[in-house]
Amino acid sequence: MRYIILFSLGCNCGFRPSPLERNLTQGPNIPSFVSLPESGEYFSEIKKIPTGFYVRQVYLNNSISKQEMFISQLTVSEAKNWEEIRFEGKLSVDPSGNYLRFRPRLCRIFTSKNPGDRWTLTRAYECDHYEFLIWKSGNGEMRLVPGPEGEEDGLKLVRPKSGNSSQIAAIVLKVDSLITSVWGMRLSRVRRGASVYMERSDGKKVDLKSLQTVETTGEIKTEKQGVFPGDFILYTNPSGDAKPLAL
């Protein structure tokens, strides 16, 4: 089942036009009054599939000095183990000034057997014929149209409520009695001695201990802290430095 989904991503996207070049009856339903999303790290809900789950993340740097954006999709399944698809490319403001356009120049697929292993590049392909539209859809929310799998209605992503530009965000994937697995696009920026806390769905914070981070995966010690998949984890380096992802 998962193989079919990934094949669709690799092939159907090649025939997908810009959302604004479609017939108006088929194009995205862009609200009349939209605005640009704030910079930050945004995550989708964790979606279950028959043999596992998948989740998406967007890193958006919409600063005056540099505009960059990355989209990543992590799939964990029995058949594929851990698989990550990364979209990297050019971000620009639409002439209307109300939303952003993202046109990736490179798409890459990585795999690993377990969290904590380094990723192995298995495939890279040009994808500058894709185009995504992005706008602010609510407080701390953004809309991405279409979705990475070609979802016509796109998807909603949210960012941690208490996060800021000096922190590095991740999302909880799996929880057991002692160790929790997390995933985040900028976890390679976490430095030794970083402080870490969990943001609960009600906004409360719980201090935790980081065990390790390897590229985009990490482990934290949670014990009986009441951590659940989908909770956000925020790291702060001792220097307060959280460099953006350079293209």
Side-chain angles (χ1 to χ4, degrees), residues 65-123:
S65 59
K66 186 169 187 177
Q67 292 180 327
E68 60 181 352
M69 180 173 169
F70 296 80
I71 303 174
S72 187
Q73 174 173 304
L74 173 71
T75 302
V76 178
S77 67
E78 295 176 2
K80 292 286 186 178
N81 295 321
W82 290 63
E83 184 169 75
E84 191 173 292
I85 304 174
R86 304 175 190 173
F87 299 75
E88 308 169 23
K90 184 179 180 181
L91 182 69
S92 62
V93 179
D94 184 80
S96 68
N98 294 329
Y99 54 90
L100 301 169
R101 290 172 176 264
F102 175 62
R103 189 177 288 268
R105 61 175 175 81
L106 179 65
C107 295
R108 297 183 292 172
I109 300 176
F110 298 81
T111 60
S112 68
K113 291 185 177 180
N114 300 290
D117 293 344
R118 295 199 173 274
W119 292 104
T120 300
L121 177 64
T122 59
R123 183 185 172 197

Side-chain angles (χ1 to χ4, degrees), residues 8-235:
S8 173
L9 176 66
C11 298
N12 290 348
C13 289
F15 301 98
R16 185 174 66 210
S18 162
L20 294 185
E21 292 173 357
R22 303 175 189 152
N23 184 287
L24 290 178
T25 61
Q26 299 176 339
N29 182 21
I30 301 178
S32 301
F33 300 98
V34 297
S35 58
L36 301 180
E38 297 91 351
S39 297
E41 295 177 86
Y42 295 77
F43 296 85
S44 72
E45 293 182 345
I46 298 175
K47 297 289 187 179
K48 291 185 178 180
I49 57 176
T51 60
F53 63 87
Y54 67 92
V55 61
R56 285 81 170 263
Q57 181 186 5
V58 165
Y59 170 70
L60 176 66
N61 181 13
N62 189 28
S63 62
I64 297 176
S65 59
K66 186 169 187 177
Q67 292 180 327
E68 60 181 352
M69 180 173 169
F70 296 80
I71 303 174
S72 187
Q73 174 173 304
L74 173 71
T75 302
V76 178
S77 67
E78 295 176 2
K80 292 286 186 178
N81 295 321
W82 290 63
E83 184 169 75
E84 191 173 292
I85 304 174
R86 304 175 190 173
F87 299 75
E88 308 169 23
K90 184 179 180 181
L91 182 69
S92 62
V93 179
D94 184 80
S96 68
N98 294 329
Y99 54 90
L100 301 169
R101 290 172 176 264
F102 175 62
R103 189 177 288 268
R105 61 175 175 81
L106 179 65
C107 295
R108 297 183 292 172
I109 300 176
F110 298 81
T111 60
S112 68
K113 291 185 177 180
N114 300 290
D117 293 344
R118 295 199 173 274
W119 292 104
T120 300
L121 177 64
T122 59
R123 183 185 172 197
Y125 55 97
E126 293 182 358
C127 48
D128 56 2
H129 46 280
Y130 301 5
E131 186 172 48
F132 301 90
L133 305 183
I134 308 100
W135 63 84
K136 182 177 180 179
S137 57
N139 186 24
E141 298 180 0
M142 63 169 281
R143 194 81 183 176
L144 178 73
V145 177
E149 298 272 4
E151 300 95 332
E152 292 291 331
D153 293 333
L155 67 149
K156 181 181 77 172
L157 301 105
V158 300
R159 61 177 184 165
K161 296 178 182 179
S162 60
N164 57 59
S165 59
S166 66
Q167 294 175 312
I168 297 165
I171 190 170
V172 174
L173 300 178
K174 293 182 176 182
V175 181
D176 64 23
S177 59
L178 295 176
I179 298 174
T180 290
S181 296
V182 303
W183 174 71
M185 209 179 296
R186 292 200 299 158
L187 285 180
S188 62
R189 301 291 193 268
V190 174
R191 300 293 176 250
R192 183 183 297 274
S195 61
V196 56
Y197 69 85
M198 173 187 63
E199 179 185 282
R200 296 184 186 276
S201 58
D202 60 6
K204 293 183 180 180
K205 303 176 185 178
V206 178
D207 291 331
L208 301 172
K209 180 180 180 181
S210 176
L211 297 178
Q212 70 168 347
T213 56
V214 179
E215 296 184 350
T216 60
T217 61
E219 293 181 342
I220 54 175
K221 187 176 182 180
T222 51
E223 294 182 346
K224 298 180 180 180
Q225 300 289 355
V227 181
F228 298 96
D231 286 340
F232 293 128
I233 303 296
L234 292 135
Y235 297 79

